[in-house]
Amino acid sequence: AQRVTQPEKLLSVFKGAPVELKCNYSYSGSPELFWYVQYSRQRLQLLLRHISRESIKGFTADLNKGETSFHLKKPFAQEEDSAMYYCALGGPHGNTGKLIFGQGTTLQVKP
Amino acid sequence: NAGVTQTPKFQVLKTGQSMTLQCAQDMNHNSMYWYRQDPGMGLRLIYYSASEGTTDKGEVPNGYNVSRLNKREFSLRLESAAPSQTSVYFCASSEVSWAAYEQYFGPGTRLTVT
């Protein structure tokens, strides 16, 4: 069964510290993985997807199929990074576009 | 271009009352989705519609019904609201129906059932 696990409900760091939000998935096929972000009073929006291999707002995420992980990283956290982050899993053809979301991690960046 | 819109933004219901949450998108997307967001549970898919005229159950469909009225609109109905349905409801849409693509979300409806 498809499943996404984000083990941390809350991650609190100081400004300038490195950040790693953990995401592990369970999927027998070839996964497509995403990170979505929800800033305060804003709607949920896509941050990045693994297939793009790009860095958005300084965040990167590498798909590790051996460890079935897709951790989100940023070397130096900023206060404006404070938000709720969701890892999401989708499958390829025939999946009807559905995504399975993790429980979410609240990132709090302290000044 | 408003993207995905939802009405109402807030609603309080009494147990047993019914209501319909409205969702519309102006991006000509094929697929639309309804999620609920609960603390510690993340976003859970209630129902989705891969294309106009089709709907399918998601992870937590009990107590809900949906209607894909046309390509733009996808409504969620609570026939007899229960306190367990207190949640924030999000509608989303995506361009394709056969693969995982970026989903665009509405602003959400905060529903309280007393």
Side-chain angles (χ1 to χ4, degrees):
Chain A
Q2 297 180 25
R3 189 170 61 246
V4 176
T5 302
Q6 293 179 248
E8 304 139 327
K9 283 188 179 179
L10 173 66
L11 183 62
S12 186
V13 301
F14 285 101
K15 177 182 173 181
V19 170
E20 182 180 52
L21 289 86
K22 291 183 168 41
C23 172
N24 288 91
Y25 68 91
S26 173
Y27 183 56
S28 57
S30 183
E32 293 191 32
L33 286 144
F34 305 79
W35 277 99
Y36 280 78
V37 61
Q38 187 176 26
Y39 300 104
S40 179
R41 298 190 189 86
Q42 294 187 28
R43 60 184 71 190
L44 201 67
Q45 58 187 288
L46 179 68
L47 179 63
L48 55 82
R49 62 186 295 182
H50 89 273
I51 202 167
S52 303
R53 293 189 156 271
E54 55 189 347
S55 173
I56 304 292
K57 298 185 179 183
F59 284 98
T60 59
D62 290 318
L63 176 60
N64 186 323
K65 290 187 177 181
E67 296 184 359
T68 60
S69 68
F70 188 56
H71 303 327
L72 184 67
K73 300 178 184 179
K74 185 170 184 177
F76 307 104
Q78 303 299 315
E79 288 181 69
E80 55 265 30
D81 297 328
S82 295
M84 173 73 88
Y85 291 81
Y86 288 100
C87 182
L89 166 69
H93 305 287
N95 190 56
T96 68
K98 289 189 295 181
L99 294 177
I100 294 174
F101 285 83
Q103 302 92 326
T105 298
T106 299
L107 175 63
Q108 183 183 72
V109 181
K110 296 178 284 188
Chain B
N1 189 341
V4 180
T5 57
Q6 291 182 236
T7 55
K9 290 187 178 179
F10 302 94
Q11 184 70 49
V12 178
L13 291 178
K14 294 185 177 179
T15 298
Q17 287 185 320
S18 62
M19 80 160 295
T20 299
L21 282 66
Q22 306 288 352
C23 174
Q25 51 92 8
D26 61 3
M27 296 173 283
N28 202 37
H29 286 168
N30 287 313
S31 295
M32 297 185 74
Y33 313 84
W34 275 106
Y35 294 91
R36 58 178 290 171
Q37 182 187 43
D38 302 290
M41 305 292 286
L43 273 78
R44 292 180 292 170
L45 183 65
I46 305 171
Y47 269 94
Y48 66 99
S49 170
S51 61
E52 185 180 352
T54 67
T55 61
D56 278 292
K57 296 178 181 179
E59 183 184 352
V60 288
N62 290 345
Y64 306 95
N65 284 302
V66 290
S67 294
R68 183 74 183 267
L69 305 169
N70 46 55
K71 192 170 186 179
R72 288 188 65 248
E73 298 171 289
F74 188 38
S75 63
L76 178 72
R77 182 160 179 84
L78 286 71
E79 291 291 351
S80 180
S84 60
Q85 294 178 305
T86 293
S87 187
V88 181
Y89 291 86
F90 290 99
C91 177
S93 69
S94 69
E95 185 173 326
V96 300
S97 59
W98 46 262
Y101 256 65
E102 177 178 0
Q103 292 187 12
Y104 293 80
F105 284 79
T109 295
R110 189 173 294 273
L111 175 67
T112 302
V113 183
T114 61

PDB file of all heavy atoms in Angstrom, chain A residues 2 9 17 29 32 37 42-43 52 54 56 69 77 80 88 97 105 110:
ATOM      1  N   GLN A   2       0.367   2.269  -0.655  1.00  0.00           N
ATOM      2  CA  GLN A   2       1.116   3.518  -0.703  1.00  0.00           C
ATOM      3  C   GLN A   2       0.978   4.257   0.613  1.00  0.00           C
ATOM      4  O   GLN A   2      -0.114   4.347   1.184  1.00  0.00           O
ATOM      5  CB  GLN A   2       0.580   4.401  -1.828  1.00  0.00           C
ATOM      6  CG  GLN A   2       0.749   3.797  -3.211  1.00  0.00           C
ATOM      7  CD  GLN A   2       0.205   4.720  -4.282  1.00  0.00           C
ATOM      8  OE1 GLN A   2       0.134   5.927  -4.103  1.00  0.00           O
ATOM      9  NE2 GLN A   2      -0.178   4.167  -5.405  1.00  0.00           N
ATOM     10  N   LYS A   9       6.301  16.203  13.772  1.00  0.00           N
ATOM     11  CA  LYS A   9       5.173  17.129  13.674  1.00  0.00           C
ATOM     12  C   LYS A   9       5.680  18.570  13.662  1.00  0.00           C
ATOM     13  O   LYS A   9       5.138  19.435  13.002  1.00  0.00           O
ATOM     14  CB  LYS A   9       4.234  16.951  14.864  1.00  0.00           C
ATOM     15  CG  LYS A   9       3.351  15.734  14.776  1.00  0.00           C
ATOM     16  CD  LYS A   9       2.326  15.741  15.897  1.00  0.00           C
ATOM     17  CE  LYS A   9       1.419  14.534  15.799  1.00  0.00           C
ATOM     18  NZ  LYS A   9       0.432  14.496  16.890  1.00  0.00           N
ATOM     19  N   ALA A  17      20.450  28.244  10.646  1.00  0.00           N
ATOM     20  CA  ALA A  17      20.788  26.839  10.884  1.00  0.00           C
ATOM     21  C   ALA A  17      20.330  25.991   9.704  1.00  0.00           C
ATOM     22  O   ALA A  17      19.402  26.375   8.978  1.00  0.00           O
ATOM     23  CB  ALA A  17      20.119  26.353  12.165  1.00  0.00           C
ATOM     24  N   GLY A  29       5.959   0.734  -6.949  1.00  0.00           N
ATOM     25  CA  GLY A  29       6.266   1.133  -8.310  1.00  0.00           C
ATOM     26  C   GLY A  29       7.309   2.220  -8.364  1.00  0.00           C
ATOM     27  O   GLY A  29       8.120   2.387  -7.457  1.00  0.00           O
ATOM     28  N   GLU A  32       6.539   9.221  -7.841  1.00  0.00           N
ATOM     29  CA  GLU A  32       6.736  10.627  -8.145  1.00  0.00           C
ATOM     30  C   GLU A  32       6.492  11.365  -6.842  1.00  0.00           C
ATOM     31  O   GLU A  32       5.439  11.199  -6.212  1.00  0.00           O
ATOM     32  CB  GLU A  32       5.766  11.089  -9.229  1.00  0.00           C
ATOM     33  CG  GLU A  32       6.053  10.434 -10.569  1.00  0.00           C
ATOM     34  CD  GLU A  32       5.281  11.078 -11.699  1.00  0.00           C
ATOM     35  OE1 GLU A  32       5.018  12.284 -11.639  1.00  0.00           O
ATOM     36  OE2 GLU A  32       4.939  10.350 -12.649  1.00  0.00           O
ATOM     37  N   VAL A  37       3.962  23.315   0.332  1.00  0.00           N
ATOM     38  CA  VAL A  37       4.145  24.199   1.482  1.00  0.00           C
ATOM     39  C   VAL A  37       2.892  25.049   1.678  1.00  0.00           C
ATOM     40  O   VAL A  37       2.216  25.429   0.711  1.00  0.00           O
ATOM     41  CB  VAL A  37       5.394  25.092   1.304  1.00  0.00           C
ATOM     42  CG1 VAL A  37       5.269  25.977   0.071  1.00  0.00           C
ATOM     43  CG2 VAL A  37       5.657  25.917   2.543  1.00  0.00           C
ATOM     44  N   GLN A  42      -2.108  31.404   3.697  1.00  0.00           N
ATOM     45  CA  GLN A  42      -2.025  31.205   2.256  1.00  0.00           C
ATOM     46  C   GLN A  42      -2.458  29.790   1.911  1.00  0.00           C
ATOM     47  O   GLN A  42      -2.526  28.920   2.767  1.00  0.00           O
ATOM     48  CB  GLN A  42      -0.600  31.456   1.757  1.00  0.00           C
ATOM     49  CG  GLN A  42      -0.147  32.895   1.896  1.00  0.00           C
ATOM     50  CD  GLN A  42       1.188  33.137   1.243  1.00  0.00           C
ATOM     51  OE1 GLN A  42       1.556  32.459   0.278  1.00  0.00           O
ATOM     52  NE2 GLN A  42       1.937  34.096   1.752  1.00  0.00           N
ATOM     53  N   ARG A  43      -2.752  29.583   0.666  1.00  0.00           N
ATOM     54  CA  ARG A  43      -3.176  28.250   0.256  1.00  0.00           C
ATOM     55  C   ARG A  43      -1.973  27.345   0.019  1.00  0.00           C
ATOM     56  O   ARG A  43      -0.855  27.801  -0.186  1.00  0.00           O
ATOM     57  CB  ARG A  43      -4.061  28.323  -0.986  1.00  0.00           C
ATOM     58  CG  ARG A  43      -3.420  28.945  -2.209  1.00  0.00           C
ATOM     59  CD  ARG A  43      -4.426  29.057  -3.345  1.00  0.00           C
ATOM     60  NE  ARG A  43      -5.435  30.075  -3.084  1.00  0.00           N
ATOM     61  CZ  ARG A  43      -6.531  30.236  -3.819  1.00  0.00           C
ATOM     62  NH1 ARG A  43      -6.777  29.426  -4.843  1.00  0.00           N
ATOM     63  NH2 ARG A  43      -7.396  31.195  -3.548  1.00  0.00           N
ATOM     64  N   SER A  52      11.960  17.378 -11.278  1.00  0.00           N
ATOM     65  CA  SER A  52      12.495  18.644 -11.772  1.00  0.00           C
ATOM     66  C   SER A  52      13.951  18.839 -11.394  1.00  0.00           C
ATOM     67  O   SER A  52      14.677  19.562 -12.067  1.00  0.00           O
ATOM     68  CB  SER A  52      11.683  19.802 -11.217  1.00  0.00           C
ATOM     69  OG  SER A  52      10.339  19.669 -11.540  1.00  0.00           O
ATOM     70  N   GLU A  54      15.269  20.644  -9.222  1.00  0.00           N
ATOM     71  CA  GLU A  54      15.617  22.055  -9.094  1.00  0.00           C
ATOM     72  C   GLU A  54      15.617  22.475  -7.637  1.00  0.00           C
ATOM     73  O   GLU A  54      15.125  21.778  -6.767  1.00  0.00           O
ATOM     74  CB  GLU A  54      14.629  22.909  -9.892  1.00  0.00           C
ATOM     75  CG  GLU A  54      13.186  22.683  -9.531  1.00  0.00           C
ATOM     76  CD  GLU A  54      12.232  23.377 -10.498  1.00  0.00           C
ATOM     77  OE1 GLU A  54      12.672  24.222 -11.295  1.00  0.00           O
ATOM     78  OE2 GLU A  54      11.033  23.081 -10.443  1.00  0.00           O
ATOM     79  N   ILE A  56      14.294  25.360  -5.119  1.00  0.00           N
ATOM     80  CA  ILE A  56      13.300  26.425  -5.004  1.00  0.00           C
ATOM     81  C   ILE A  56      13.458  27.082  -3.633  1.00  0.00           C
ATOM     82  O   ILE A  56      13.443  26.399  -2.611  1.00  0.00           O
ATOM     83  CB  ILE A  56      11.871  25.870  -5.137  1.00  0.00           C
ATOM     84  CG1 ILE A  56      11.716  25.108  -6.453  1.00  0.00           C
ATOM     85  CG2 ILE A  56      10.863  26.998  -5.034  1.00  0.00           C
ATOM     86  CD1 ILE A  56      11.786  25.963  -7.691  1.00  0.00           C
ATOM     87  N   SER A  69      13.318   7.453   0.662  1.00  0.00           N
ATOM     88  CA  SER A  69      13.204   8.741   1.328  1.00  0.00           C
ATOM     89  C   SER A  69      13.252   9.873   0.315  1.00  0.00           C
ATOM     90  O   SER A  69      13.764   9.725  -0.799  1.00  0.00           O
ATOM     91  CB  SER A  69      14.332   8.912   2.359  1.00  0.00           C
ATOM     92  OG  SER A  69      15.582   9.019   1.715  1.00  0.00           O
ATOM     93  N   ALA A  77      18.403  28.280   7.171  1.00  0.00           N
ATOM     94  CA  ALA A  77      16.987  28.605   7.302  1.00  0.00           C
ATOM     95  C   ALA A  77      16.765  30.100   7.475  1.00  0.00           C
ATOM     96  O   ALA A  77      17.570  30.800   8.109  1.00  0.00           O
ATOM     97  CB  ALA A  77      16.397  27.860   8.502  1.00  0.00           C
ATOM     98  N   GLU A  80      11.264  33.493   7.011  1.00  0.00           N
ATOM     99  CA  GLU A  80      10.140  33.365   6.083  1.00  0.00           C
ATOM    100  C   GLU A  80       9.902  31.928   5.629  1.00  0.00           C
ATOM    101  O   GLU A  80       8.928  31.642   4.923  1.00  0.00           O
ATOM    102  CB  GLU A  80      10.334  34.263   4.860  1.00  0.00           C
ATOM    103  CG  GLU A  80      11.637  34.055   4.126  1.00  0.00           C
ATOM    104  CD  GLU A  80      12.721  35.033   4.557  1.00  0.00           C
ATOM    105  OE1 GLU A  80      12.706  35.458   5.741  1.00  0.00           O
ATOM    106  OE2 GLU A  80      13.570  35.366   3.727  1.00  0.00           O
ATOM    107  N   ALA A  88       4.374  14.524  -0.549  1.00  0.00           N
ATOM    108  CA  ALA A  88       3.273  13.849  -1.237  1.00  0.00           C
ATOM    109  C   ALA A  88       3.814  12.862  -2.257  1.00  0.00           C
ATOM    110  O   ALA A  88       4.841  13.112  -2.894  1.00  0.00           O
ATOM    111  CB  ALA A  88       2.364  14.871  -1.916  1.00  0.00           C
ATOM    112  N   GLY A  97      -3.761  10.662 -11.200  1.00  0.00           N
ATOM    113  CA  GLY A  97      -3.334  11.947 -10.671  1.00  0.00           C
ATOM    114  C   GLY A  97      -3.432  12.086  -9.171  1.00  0.00           C
ATOM    115  O   GLY A  97      -3.118  13.133  -8.618  1.00  0.00           O
ATOM    116  N   THR A 105       4.767  18.549   8.486  1.00  0.00           N
ATOM    117  CA  THR A 105       5.723  19.015   9.503  1.00  0.00           C
ATOM    118  C   THR A 105       5.674  20.528   9.544  1.00  0.00           C
ATOM    119  O   THR A 105       5.792  21.187   8.505  1.00  0.00           O
ATOM    120  CB  THR A 105       7.166  18.574   9.165  1.00  0.00           C
ATOM    121  OG1 THR A 105       7.235  17.144   9.146  1.00  0.00           O
ATOM    122  CG2 THR A 105       8.145  19.120  10.206  1.00  0.00           C
ATOM    123  N   LYS A 110      13.256  30.382  14.281  1.00  0.00           N
ATOM    124  CA  LYS A 110      13.312  31.416  15.312  1.00  0.00           C
ATOM    125  C   LYS A 110      14.409  32.435  14.991  1.00  0.00           C
ATOM    126  O   LYS A 110      15.445  32.075  14.454  1.00  0.00           O
ATOM    127  CB  LYS A 110      13.560  30.760  16.666  1.00  0.00           C
ATOM    128  CG  LYS A 110      12.425  29.841  17.102  1.00  0.00           C
ATOM    129  CD  LYS A 110      12.710  29.164  18.432  1.00  0.00           C
ATOM    130  CE  LYS A 110      13.705  28.031  18.259  1.00  0.00           C
ATOM    131  NZ  LYS A 110      13.853  27.236  19.504  1.00  0.00           N
TER     132      LYS A 110
END
